[in-house]
Amino acid sequence: MSEGRMYPGTGKDERTTFAPYSAFDIPQDLRELHGRYDVETTARRVRNFRYAEEWMMMMLGGWLATVPEVPVKTGLGKIIWEGAKAADEFGKRLPELRCGKRAAESSEAGNPGFADLIQEIAAPETPDLTIEKMTGVFDVLKPHLVKVYERHMRETDQIADAPTIEILEEIVRKTERHVAWGHEILDRLCDTDAKRQRRHARQAELNELLEKCGGVTGDLALDH
Amino acid sequence: MKRFIEHEELARDRRFIRQQNVAADLLATLPDDVDAVVELFEKVGPVIEAGTRGTAAEPLYDRFGPAFTLMTLNEPIRPGDPGTEDRLKMRMHGIFVGELQALEGAGRSLWDFPEAPWEFKMNMARQCWDEARHVQIFEKLLDHVGGEVGMYAESTFLFEAACADDPALRVAGVNRALEGLACDVFRDNIEYAKQTDDALMEQSMDYVLADELTHVRFGSEWVAEFCKDDPERLAKAREFRRETDRRFNFGGARSADKDAAIQIAWEDRKFAGFTDEELEDLAQLSGEGPSRKTMKKAIEILVARFQEEHGIPSEAQS
Ligand SMILES: [Fe+2]
Ligand SMILES: [Fe+2]
């Protein structure tokens, strides 16, 4: 039982006797305050991320009926659900970033160019275009999102914006798995030079559009 | 990618073949009259025949004629009954392609209705994952009963009947009528699995049934939500669901009758948000088709005529 003061008083001689560090010498948190994004910027970026995830899972939903390969249909089922959960998590972060309660369901394209890019990625329709469909999502959009999410995690305020980092960590982990699966499927589908050429051509075409519009937040120079 | 597709646009690999939906349409309109059933089936014989060519159902057609479709539907699947193995394969194959179309229907609901509320999209996305797992489960169960993908023709009737352009009607048709029917069929199959000590089938189908009940509940909740200030839309959704149900009674094979091939899974459906009133209505609707007795008589006549015409000895009927 300590004989010293348990609670501080008002005078300078009335301090408690507790040492500032515990006997376990807990290491100090060396992370520094300050990140690249303020609250408003992070909120806008999260709305942009939500837009990408929402539209991506919607287009994958549309394609379930128009891809003939059964393992592609069944594999996409889970990716759609994980995409919806990602959009949902981003949405739940928005009211925490001073966007109002209703903001949880709001998505916003980084700029009109990115909205057009999403529609272009979603354009392939007929059953002979699985390569083009998969390339758009698994060679272009998802890898781009992983880069942007990782950069956001590194450059945002590590302590103040930690809840966003937590959300992104989980989404990146799953998205990397989606990309690995998509690449495996694409590698198998592209079993001739002509098909590999189709994949590369589609990838190049979409990457050009991505660079032109600046990607998911419209600011590729800062994001990649 | 456009919004709204036709059932002919469902993409399949080369194992699959399509069946014209006319036979299914026909079953929906059958009256409780032996002569009428016989006459209708003789008329569409060539269409039914075309749907069996190159499939595992071909020998069944060659032996029994167009009535074989009625024979497979009209009788409950019981262990040890003649033809049970084939009928089980047919049923597993039918469920497999049904799950495929349910997966595609849920996915299209995401793309076709971009303005839908977020919670609706979450439910449909979850359903995509569930139906994808169901496709995988029934691919394995089909293999388990000795069948394989593509051995029978696929009717895209489910997708055609249920995929309406209004989301309220879509969920009424897909989630309440079709998923409700799935509950009836799964409950029946679980009983069969119990009788044959098939623990693998019993357990996996019970998980699927649990998922389907959730999907029916999505349907019950979204019909109410979409139509909450619009009694006219609610009436339309209700009529659409009844119409879909009528088409899926398979000429009375699914009904509340004690001797029906497939019983209405009353308790399961109540759990998923069907009211007693709706279930009474469904029972009444299912009772409008031909009775099992009528079907039995019609099958006898159809098979006898077919076998006489083709010089097939009648003992083949067994
Ligand atoms: Fe299912
Ligand atoms: Fe379902």
Side-chain angles (χ1 to χ4, degrees):
Chain A
M1 200 70 73
S2 129
E3 282 179 23
R5 286 187 69 93
M6 290 281 278
Y7 303 100
T10 50
K12 66 182 165 64
D13 297 328
E14 294 172 309
R15 300 171 196 270
T16 69
T17 50
F18 298 123
Y21 294 98
S22 78
F24 299 104
D25 202 16
I26 293 167
Q28 202 177 352
D29 187 339
L30 296 177
R31 292 176 300 176
E32 283 184 29
L33 291 178
H34 185 63
R36 188 186 288 280
Y37 318 110
D38 60 18
V39 172
E40 279 69 33
T41 310
T42 290
R44 180 179 53 74
R45 290 170 66 85
V46 169
R47 275 199 301 278
N48 297 162
F49 298 162
R50 190 179 188 280
Y51 180 89
E53 295 288 349
E54 182 176 7
W55 275 92
M56 193 159 47
M57 70 97 184
M58 283 160 58
M59 75 173 79
L60 292 175
W63 283 334
L64 287 177
T66 65
V67 295
E69 298 86 359
V70 175
V72 177
K73 287 181 195 279
T74 53
L76 288 179
K78 184 161 189 242
I79 292 174
I80 289 167
W81 171 234
E82 290 179 347
K85 281 202 296 185
D88 197 52
E89 286 300 317
F90 284 139
K92 285 184 194 150
R93 178 73 179 127
L94 288 169
E96 299 167 0
L97 293 168
R98 228 186 285 132
C99 298
K101 230 174 162 178
R102 289 220 187 128
E105 295 190 11
S106 63
S107 290
E108 184 192 334
N111 57 41
F114 187 75
D116 291 345
L117 172 68
I118 286 285
Q119 293 309 315
E120 178 50 38
I121 291 173
E125 185 110 48
T126 50
D128 54 339
L129 296 177
T130 306
I131 292 172
E132 281 73 9
K133 292 169 185 166
M134 298 286 287
T135 297
V137 170
F138 296 96
D139 279 342
V140 178
L141 192 49
K142 277 187 186 274
H144 164 65
L145 291 175
V146 168
K147 270 193 203 163
V148 179
Y149 294 166
E150 280 181 332
R151 182 121 184 215
H152 190 105
M153 286 195 283
R154 275 198 313 274
E155 297 188 347
T156 195
D157 189 311
Q158 297 296 298
I159 298 171
D161 194 25
T164 306
I165 297 178
E166 287 275 325
I167 293 166
L168 288 169
E169 263 172 1
E170 180 67 9
I171 295 172
V172 164
R173 193 174 64 81
K174 289 192 169 150
T175 308
E176 278 173 340
R177 238 172 35 204
H178 302 165
V179 171
W181 175 85
H183 285 173
E184 208 173 310
I185 296 281
L186 275 162
D187 290 346
R188 280 183 201 209
L189 286 175
C190 300
D191 55 358
T192 63
D193 281 342
K195 287 180 186 167
R196 281 188 282 275
Q197 182 47 37
R198 264 172 64 190
R199 179 180 178 183
H200 289 144
R202 176 76 177 158
Q203 201 176 346
E205 173 198 1
L206 292 175
N207 271 330
E208 202 186 310
L209 289 175
L210 182 84
E211 264 161 47
K212 223 160 126 196
C213 73
V216 61
T217 68
D219 201 349
L220 207 60
L222 280 179
D223 277 340
H224 265 193
Chain B
M1 181 180 3
K2 66 182 172 189
R3 303 235 138 63
F4 308 115
I5 59 167
E6 299 298 325
H7 68 102
E8 292 92 347
E9 292 173 271
L10 296 178
R12 293 291 178 269
D13 65 48
R14 70 163 80 93
R15 292 172 298 175
F16 292 79
I17 49 172
R18 282 271 154 83
Q19 189 178 47
Q20 282 199 40
N21 294 345
V22 60
D25 277 331
L26 202 73
L27 281 167
T29 57
L30 284 177
D32 189 16
D33 178 79
V34 176
D35 292 339
V37 175
V38 170
E39 193 189 326
L40 275 167
F41 266 78
E42 286 193 320
K43 215 158 70 190
V44 292
V47 178
I48 295 178
E49 182 184 0
T52 65
R53 290 294 164 230
T55 76
E58 193 169 344
L60 291 171
Y61 185 90
D62 288 343
R63 206 163 135 196
F64 303 112
F68 94 90
T69 46
L70 296 178
M71 295 162 74
T72 55
L73 282 171
N74 197 45
E75 298 297 313
I77 296 186
R78 286 204 199 92
D81 280 359
T84 290
E85 257 179 47
D86 279 333
R87 292 178 56 213
L88 196 58
K89 281 182 207 165
M90 272 184 143
R91 188 183 272 187
M92 286 302 144
H93 196 273
I95 298 174
F96 168 76
V97 294
E99 294 293 353
L100 213 46
Q101 290 173 42
L103 169 64
E104 295 166 328
R108 289 310 299 192
S109 293
L110 286 171
W111 182 254
D112 291 343
F113 309 124
E115 303 303 329
W118 175 246
E119 266 309 307
F120 176 78
K121 290 182 188 169
M122 283 293 279
N123 287 170
M124 291 301 115
R126 175 53 195 243
Q127 201 178 329
C128 285
W129 183 29
D130 294 348
E131 305 299 2
R133 289 184 297 107
H134 298 172
V135 170
Q136 292 175 309
I137 289 168
F138 282 100
E139 202 173 7
K140 289 179 195 302
L141 284 177
L142 182 60
D143 181 63
H144 175 66
V145 300
E148 60 183 72
V149 172
M151 69 187 297
Y152 302 111
E154 175 191 10
S155 159
T156 50
F157 180 61
L158 273 78
F159 190 92
E160 183 193 9
C163 280
D165 292 358
D166 174 341
L169 269 60
R170 172 90 56 102
V171 287
V174 176
N175 287 63
R176 303 205 80 211
L178 295 186
E179 306 268 351
L181 168 69
C183 295
D184 301 337
V185 175
F186 295 153
R187 179 53 74 201
D188 182 69
N189 245 86
I190 289 167
E191 291 311 312
Y192 173 85
K194 276 184 188 156
Q195 286 164 27
T196 51
D197 285 329
D198 190 338
L200 187 146
M201 182 185 286
E202 185 190 339
Q203 191 183 67
S204 53
M205 281 191 110
D206 204 25
Y207 269 107
V208 176
L209 177 59
D211 288 341
E212 302 300 7
L213 290 175
T214 304
H215 303 164
V216 175
R217 206 164 44 230
F218 289 164
S220 302
E221 287 166 7
W222 283 108
V223 169
E225 176 63 26
F226 283 134
C227 304
K228 68 178 178 222
D229 300 317
D230 192 343
E232 211 174 295
R233 197 176 179 196
L234 182 65
K236 256 197 209 158
R238 181 167 298 160
E239 199 33 56
F240 185 73
R241 199 253 309 147
R242 292 181 84 237
E243 195 44 51
T244 313
D245 272 330
R246 197 174 281 129
R247 293 159 73 99
F248 287 96
N249 288 327
F250 303 117
R254 185 273 305 271
S255 85
D257 287 354
K258 270 205 281 312
D259 68 343
I262 298 164
Q263 295 279 325
I264 292 173
W266 207 278
E267 287 310 311
D268 293 314
R269 280 169 172 268
K270 271 188 81 166
F271 182 78
F274 273 89
T275 62
D276 277 319
E277 194 189 334
E278 283 175 322
L279 288 169
E280 300 288 353
D281 182 50
L282 177 65
Q284 155 91 29
L285 241 145
S286 315
E288 284 170 12
S291 69
R292 193 163 155 222
K293 218 170 102 195
T294 304
M295 291 297 249
K296 226 172 171 162
K297 190 76 203 143
I299 290 168
E300 268 172 38
I301 296 171
L302 281 161
V303 171
R305 279 192 197 166
F306 180 84
Q307 294 186 334
E308 197 187 318
E309 226 172 87
H310 294 80
I312 302 164
S314 61
E315 62 270 21
Q317 266 193 57
S318 64

